[in-house]
Amino acid sequence: MPEPTKKDETPNGQPEESVAPDSNGALPLPEISLEVSPPPEAVAEGQEPVETDGKQPEPAEPAEPEPVQAVVAQEPSPAENGSNQPQPVEVGVKEQAESSNTTEKGEGPCSPPPHDEDDAAATTPSPTPQPEEANTLKKLSIELPNDSVPLPEMGRKDSVWSLGDGQAPEDLDKPIDTPPRSTLLIESPQSASMAVGGDISFVAKVEAKDLLRKPTVKWFKGKWMDLASKTGKHLQLKETFDRQTKIHTFEMHIIKAKENYAGNYRCEVTYKDKFDSCSFDLEVKEAETGSQNIDIRSAFKRREPKQQDDAPDVDVWEILKNARPDQYEKIAFMYGITDLRGLLRRMKKIPKEEKKSEAFAKKLEPAYQVDKGGKIRLVVDLADPTVELKWYKNGQEIRPSPKYIFEHKGTQRIMVINNCSMNDDAAYSVAAGDEKCATELFVKELPVKIVKGIEPVKTTVNERIELECEVSEEGAQVKWMKNGVEVPTGVRSRYRVKSEGTKHFLVIDDASREDTGTYSLMASGGTSEAHVKVDLKPLKIYQDLQDMTVKLGQPLKLHCEIYPGNVPGRWYRNGQLIQPNDRITIIHRNKVHRLEIEASSLHDAGDYTFVPEGYSQSLSAKIHIIDPPRVHLDSLNFPDNMVTIVAGNKLRLEIPISGEPAPRVVWMKGERVILESGHRVRAETYGDQTSLTIDITEREDSGNYKIVLQNEAGEATASVKIKVVDIPDPPEAPLVPVVGGDWCSMTWEPPKYDGGSPILGYFIERKKKQSSRWMRLNFDLIKETSFEPKKMIEGVPYEVRIFAVNAIGVSKPSEPSKAFTPLAVTSEPTMLVVDDVTDTTVTVKWRPPETIGAAGLDGYIVEYCIEGANDWVVSNTELTEKTKYTITGLTPGSKILVRVRAINAAGASPPRTLQHSVLVKEVIEPPKIRVPRHLKQTYTRRVGEAVNLVVPFMGKPRPKVTWLKEGNPIEPTHVSIRNTDCDSIIFIRKAERSHSGKYEMTVQVENHVDTAIIDIQIVDLPGPPQCVTIEDVWGGNVALVWTPPKDNGNSPITGYTIQKADKKTMEWFTCIEHYHRTCITITELVVGNEYFFRMYSENMCGLSEAATQTKKSALIVKEGMQMKTHEFNDRDFKEAPKFTQPLINTFAIAGYNATLNCSVRANPRPKVIWMKNKIAILDDPRYRMFSNQGVCTLEIRKPSPYDGGMYTCKAINDLGEAQVDCKLEVKGGFTFYELMQRGVPLHLIDKYMNEHKIVEQEK
């Protein structure tokens, strides 16, 4: 429930001044309520005695009641006053008097008296004083500054709930006497108890059977807190109405209740002059066991040891009794009392001496009640008759008038209010000097009763109806109802309401059938109703409607006479309502009803009906319109009635026709009648138009079409010309007479048929011969019949085609031209130089052209001419593919010029000519050997690898080359030597250690000689060490000694690798690698294990294939313990290589990696060699070889058809060798041109092409 905030109101309903926040923007000050008992003089005047905690007040002589003084709380404000002196704070003083004469106000006995002194105080008087609250109580409201409230209580909106508590916790268990139910509430909310955090609902029901509108219901906490503005998540108010039982249900739901929600609640129901209320209590208990006398605010404080505020060390109560109320707070905090509410509650129970009033001997009663129209006397008795009095109504001074009469009788001062009305229901007060006393006047309005009820009425339409009803009071407010709905009485309403004294009238001047119903008059004291029935007058027909036949365009007039004459009616045509317009006129004069149409149309034909309003009878006639047939060709908007349509489209020609009755339509082309059942061409007629439909128009559909219309009124004919146009025929295939490097020239002939429209131009398209996608070459039409396509790719075959275009569209494409390939000659050869000259020959060399083109390069032509002549002689009759050529048959001593041309399919390129002439005469050049840098040092290769050394040299004429090894001629079976004009090649297919040595090369030209020496060293893996012995064993150490291997592999030994193995597992572990000495001590051996040791030798080729193992084992024992071991013979696991899984013939795809796999078993580990076509594969990056656990794999990276052939895997060890073969075929090879682009030499291309042909033949 949202935490409510207090709203103070004065007795006249105006809100009091509230304490504004201070200049520092502090929150509004909390409020503490004090209740002061009335003086004993009030008891002497006939009022009930005041509660004084069981002590009877002593009688005292009449005296003026002590006025209630405002209490001022002091707050230090050094910021404003510049000192620590307390500053006064504005305090509101509120006063309430409750009357004992509550039965005159009509309050029901449902409201129980409050059970707590806090509930007796309220800021505004209740509309209905409680009968049990006869005591006159005064409430003193003290508003404290913020610094007087403990910090846990400041800013808490929950604390406001405590200001509306209606019952003290100690009084909750007292029984409550529930009075009988009131006149409005048929079900009242009942008192209840609940736990903290729970939900509860209170229900109040009001019967609405005699109520004209919904009653007003308010929920209060205590006496003043209106809960309507506090709704939220903790409080919800709900209203429902049951139409069947006519009961209003009002509910108040409290959700997640807190402890401060406990207290007295009140439900008030108001309806006009009726009022009812009921009080109920809510007890909120803690969820766990605890005392009910818990201060609500203390529940939100920090949990500290509770201070005893009821028993301080000093007698605080004596101090408080003698202190002013504005000093209560200061005294309480001085002595550590934090429970201000408990303090104030106890202070209220202490009887106080009331001061006597100095001005009044007898004050006004707390409340007065009078009937509406009656008279009331307000009397006060003055202690001093000379004091001047002033009377006030809602704070406004009252002046003497016929309404208000003032009388003096001795010490009594009387104000008489005549003819009381509801405006006199207000708060009144009288002031005598500085003293005031106040009261409230309640004016009771008497119910208005029905004296004479409404009489039922039965009449006919257009008559006047007047309903009369008499009530008990003149000028009473009543409501006229029709069928339970209030009758509208505005300016434009058909109903008039008037009143004459106590009589009320409802007048209907011109009655209609809609006025039939139940009419009632509702007053506050009763209801009267009567039934009104309005019937129609009988209908008489003097002249009925007549059937008519009218020509199209002639006027049409319909006439009838009926009685009564003032009855309106409606005209219908074919059931549709006719509305008047510029052409149609509807006339009603007395009994005559006419319908006139100025110029009739075909739409005017039909069945006409006149229906008098309010009657079931009707008058009807049939109108027939006739019209000769006509064809409306003007609506087509075609010049000369010619319709042009594109062939292939659907033609639907709709022509409007007219005629009544509908004419018969015939379509004709020549002498042929077009039927409605035609398949492609058909004629249709419906409604007011006829149509000719051609689904797919053709050229043959062109011509004149005739339309014939006939009906009983005549005949009409018309003709329409239809012209079918089409796209032109495709032209014939174009011709390509001239072809260039990236262009061509093409011509064509116009199409034979232009489609009935002139040719506007042509579109040209081309495509590659292998492609299916045509590309348009022009976006603007070409008027001529020739074109030169450009930007074509050289060497790619193309085709072209033509489209003809007219106004209708584009023709179908022509047949493609014959395929043509744009080709261009190559550029001239480059770097033409003289390579050699003899007495009869000249050798020239050059490089290929920079630009070859798509036509490729077929070869070269070498030409020469004698210096001074222009006759060029072709030296080679056939094209040469090499870039070097020797011209023979020359005359010694002559000078010649040489040029070279490149030849391809497009022709010969421009020539490349030597800049100077060449003298045909041989020149001697001494020999010179140019030894490569890597051969100037020892050339090292492993056993089995190929040796291929090229040693270039110079010299002219061709030198003589000889080779010697260690001064002896070289055996040609062991080493192959091939000499050329410029270099010498020494080749060893499979190197052996015997090929090691120094080779001497000699180059001789006549008497000139040059020599060079090349040192070749063939190395191999070393052999194992000769003998490994265990020199000594002590502790966890073993000393080993060995001798170098007998065979060092033709390379120095670079180190040794020592391994150990436990005799139990015989798993070898490396102890040390790359060890250079021939003795070593192995340490950190495990005691109790027996070890064997083996050793590998190592040179630049790697570890030896075999290892030398110790014959004896070394047992690691504890000192002083030694165990004898038995000797045993080792099993010999050695075996020759044997392939357990052979190679399999495989097919590979060109460009995708291929692998060959096999498995071999051998001991010792064999050496694996892969061969292709019986030639070992060595240092070729296109091949990768793997060997793992006896599985041998050869991977061929992106093979080409050149990689196909016979592959062999060979395994060799000391005990033997074995090999397996397979055939690899690579599909998807390369063309000659692709191999040329890849830079493959010509001799390899020839070899590949020959192999490919052989494979194809074998297939």
Side-chain angles (χ1 to χ4, degrees), residues 523-538:
S524 60
T527 304
S528 175
E529 65 179 23
H531 186 71
V532 176
K533 184 175 183 183
V534 181
D535 295 329
L536 294 173
K537 296 179 180 180

Side-chain angles (χ1 to χ4, degrees), residues 172 193-198 257-260 262 283-296 298-300 303 306:
L172 290 174
S193 61
M194 61 183 300
V196 175
K258 302 179 181 179
E259 292 182 1
N260 59 341
E283 179 185 2
V284 181
K285 301 179 180 180
E286 291 187 356
E288 298 179 357
T289 59
S291 174
Q292 295 189 3
N293 294 328
I294 298 177
D295 186 17
I296 299 300
S298 63
F300 298 93
R303 298 302 181 185
K306 188 172 182 181

Side-chain angles (χ1 to χ4, degrees), residues 632-639 641 643 653-656 720:
H632 304 278
L633 293 178
D634 298 338
S635 62
L636 295 179
N637 295 326
F638 291 123
N641 294 333
V643 180
L653 185 61
E654 296 182 349
I655 300 176
V720 178

Side-chain angles (χ1 to χ4, degrees), residues 73-81 83-89 145 147:
Q74 302 296 331
E75 178 186 8
S77 178
E80 296 182 4
N81 302 329
S83 64
N84 295 329
Q85 296 298 328
Q87 300 298 323
V89 180
D147 58 353

Side-chain angles (χ1 to χ4, degrees), residues 944-1219:
E945 294 181 348
V947 177
N948 188 8
L949 303 179
V950 178
V951 182
F953 57 84
M954 300 173 59
K956 289 185 179 180
R958 180 174 181 175
K960 179 181 179 182
V961 180
T962 58
W963 285 88
L964 298 175
K965 178 186 177 184
E966 305 292 345
N968 298 321
I970 298 175
E971 292 290 336
T973 57
H974 295 166
V975 179
S976 298
I977 296 176
R978 186 181 63 181
N979 299 321
T980 64
D981 294 343
C982 59
D983 57 25
S984 180
I985 300 174
I986 180 170
F987 177 73
I988 303 175
R989 183 178 299 275
K990 186 177 180 181
E992 297 179 358
R993 292 175 63 177
S994 60
H995 294 146
S996 301
K998 293 185 178 181
Y999 292 78
E1000 181 180 359
M1001 176 183 177
T1002 304
V1003 180
Q1004 182 178 2
V1005 176
E1006 294 183 355
N1007 297 327
H1008 302 279
V1009 179
D1010 190 12
T1011 60
I1013 297 176
I1014 297 174
D1015 188 5
I1016 297 177
Q1017 181 181 6
I1018 307 301
V1019 298
D1020 196 2
L1021 295 176
Q1026 294 186 24
C1027 180
V1028 179
T1029 59
I1030 298 175
E1031 185 73 14
D1032 191 9
V1033 178
W1034 73 98
N1037 307 312
V1038 174
L1040 301 178
V1041 179
W1042 64 91
T1043 57
K1046 184 177 181 180
D1047 182 12
N1048 62 357
N1050 203 21
S1051 177
I1053 299 298
T1054 59
Y1056 300 92
T1057 298
I1058 299 96
Q1059 294 181 345
K1060 66 180 179 180
D1062 189 1
K1063 185 178 181 181
K1064 299 177 183 178
T1065 60
M1066 289 306 294
E1067 293 183 4
W1068 293 96
F1069 298 93
T1070 301
C1071 298
I1072 190 170
E1073 295 178 329
H1074 313 302
Y1075 189 74
H1076 299 285
R1077 302 173 64 182
T1078 57
C1079 61
I1080 192 173
T1081 300
I1082 306 300
T1083 61
E1084 297 181 358
L1085 298 178
V1086 179
V1087 176
N1089 290 354
E1090 189 173 358
Y1091 293 93
F1092 286 94
F1093 299 91
R1094 68 180 182 183
M1095 194 169 305
Y1096 292 91
S1097 58
E1098 182 180 6
N1099 65 0
M1100 63 179 297
C1101 295
L1103 295 176
S1104 60
E1105 295 182 353
T1108 303
Q1109 182 177 333
T1110 56
K1111 295 182 179 180
K1112 297 182 181 180
S1113 61
L1115 178 62
I1116 308 302
V1117 297
K1118 291 184 179 180
E1119 295 182 359
M1121 295 181 63
Q1122 189 172 3
M1123 182 178 66
K1124 295 182 179 179
T1125 58
H1126 300 281
E1127 295 183 358
F1128 61 92
N1129 297 326
D1130 294 337
R1131 172 179 169 79
D1132 188 6
F1133 289 96
K1134 296 182 179 179
E1135 63 173 324
K1138 179 180 179 182
F1139 283 92
T1140 58
Q1141 178 65 37
L1143 294 173
I1144 301 174
N1145 295 337
T1146 306
F1147 290 91
I1149 305 299
Y1152 295 89
N1153 292 354
T1155 57
L1156 303 177
N1157 299 285
C1158 62
S1159 61
V1160 64
R1161 185 177 68 227
N1163 191 11
R1165 182 178 180 182
K1167 179 179 181 182
V1168 178
I1169 301 174
W1170 287 91
M1171 294 180 289
K1172 175 188 175 185
N1173 296 333
K1174 305 302 182 182
I1175 299 176
I1177 300 173
L1178 300 173
D1179 295 338
D1180 195 331
R1182 293 184 300 111
Y1183 298 94
R1184 294 176 62 190
M1185 290 166 279
F1186 306 95
S1187 179
N1188 185 16
Q1189 301 294 330
V1191 177
C1192 304
T1193 303
L1194 174 66
E1195 180 182 358
I1196 307 172
R1197 297 181 176 179
K1198 297 183 180 180
S1200 63
Y1202 174 74
D1203 294 319
M1206 185 67 69
Y1207 284 83
T1208 303
C1209 181
K1210 187 174 183 181
I1212 305 172
N1213 67 359
D1214 296 339
L1215 302 180
E1217 64 182 29
Q1219 69 179 26

Side-chain angles (χ1 to χ4, degrees), residues 646-956:
V646 179
N649 291 342
K650 180 179 180 179
L651 172 63
R652 182 176 179 86
L653 185 61
E654 296 182 349
I655 300 176
I657 61 174
S658 62
E660 184 63 29
R664 178 175 174 269
V665 182
V666 178
W667 283 81
M668 300 179 65
K669 182 183 181 185
E671 299 298 329
R672 182 172 61 88
V673 177
I674 300 175
L675 304 177
E676 294 185 1
S677 59
H679 178 63
R680 187 177 64 86
V681 182
R682 60 187 180 276
E684 298 174 343
T685 301
Y686 48 89
D688 56 352
Q689 65 181 9
T690 180
S691 65
L692 174 67
T693 304
I694 304 176
D695 288 337
I696 303 176
T697 55
E698 300 176 354
R699 299 176 184 176
E700 293 77 11
D701 295 330
S702 299
N704 291 326
Y705 290 79
K706 184 178 181 182
I707 311 170
V708 180
L709 280 70
Q710 294 178 349
N711 71 352
E712 59 186 30
E715 180 178 342
T717 61
S719 63
V720 178
K721 186 178 181 181
I722 297 178
K723 180 181 179 182
V724 180
V725 295
D726 199 359
I727 60 176
D729 288 344
E732 295 183 356
L735 302 177
V736 184
V738 181
V739 178
D742 61 346
W743 62 273
C744 71
S745 177
M746 55 183 295
T747 60
W748 63 90
E749 295 294 332
K752 296 180 180 179
Y753 174 68
D754 61 359
S757 180
I759 299 296
L760 300 179
Y762 302 91
F763 286 122
I764 295 93
E765 290 185 351
R766 77 178 179 204
K767 76 174 183 69
K768 298 176 183 177
K769 186 177 181 181
Q770 296 84 0
S771 175
S772 60
R773 185 173 64 89
W774 291 89
M775 182 179 67
R776 180 159 293 183
L777 301 181
N778 64 308
F779 294 96
D780 296 331
L781 293 177
I782 298 175
K783 309 295 183 180
E784 298 81 11
T785 56
S786 62
F787 186 70
E788 288 188 0
K790 296 181 179 180
K791 296 182 180 180
M792 291 184 286
I793 302 175
E794 183 183 356
V796 178
Y798 285 91
E799 293 178 350
V800 293
R801 65 181 184 183
I802 309 297
F803 293 86
V805 182
N806 63 0
I808 307 305
V810 182
S811 69
K812 295 182 179 178
S814 66
E815 291 294 328
S817 65
K818 293 183 179 179
F820 62 92
T821 304
L823 296 174
V825 297
T826 66
S827 62
E828 57 187 11
T830 59
M831 300 183 67
L832 176 62
V833 295
V834 177
D835 186 57
D836 191 16
V837 179
T838 65
D839 292 339
T840 58
T841 63
V842 173
T843 303
V844 293
K845 61 181 179 179
W846 62 91
R847 289 192 177 182
E850 293 181 355
T851 304
I852 295 178
L857 180 63
D858 296 338
Y860 301 93
I861 292 179
V862 181
E863 298 175 324
Y864 70 93
C865 72
I866 303 299
E867 186 179 17
N870 293 326
D871 297 333
W872 290 92
V873 180
V874 178
S875 178
N876 55 326
T877 56
E878 295 183 357
L879 297 178
T880 177
E881 296 179 358
K882 298 181 179 180
T883 58
K884 184 176 182 181
Y885 186 76
T886 301
I887 303 174
T888 60
L890 299 176
T891 303
S894 61
K895 292 184 178 181
I896 62 172
L897 294 174
V898 182
R899 69 181 185 184
V900 180
R901 293 176 181 265
I903 307 298
N904 65 359
S909 70
R912 169 67 70 177
T913 308
L914 288 174
Q915 296 180 357
H916 305 285
S917 60
V918 180
L919 177 63
V920 182
K921 183 178 180 180
E922 186 174 11
V923 179
I924 297 175
E925 182 180 351
K928 178 64 176 178
I929 301 175
R930 298 184 178 275
V931 180
R933 180 177 298 177
H934 69 281
L935 296 180
K936 293 181 179 180
Q937 301 175 358
T938 301
Y939 182 76
T940 305
R941 279 289 181 269
R942 294 185 181 183
V943 174
E945 294 181 348
V947 177
N948 188 8
L949 303 179
V950 178
V951 182
F953 57 84
M954 300 173 59
K956 289 185 179 180

Side-chain angles (χ1 to χ4, degrees), residues 1210-1231:
K1210 187 174 183 181
I1212 305 172
N1213 67 359
D1214 296 339
L1215 302 180
E1217 64 182 29
Q1219 69 179 26
V1220 289
D1221 303 326
C1222 74
K1223 185 177 181 182
L1224 175 65
E1225 182 177 351
V1226 181
K1227 294 184 178 181
F1230 299 95
T1231 63

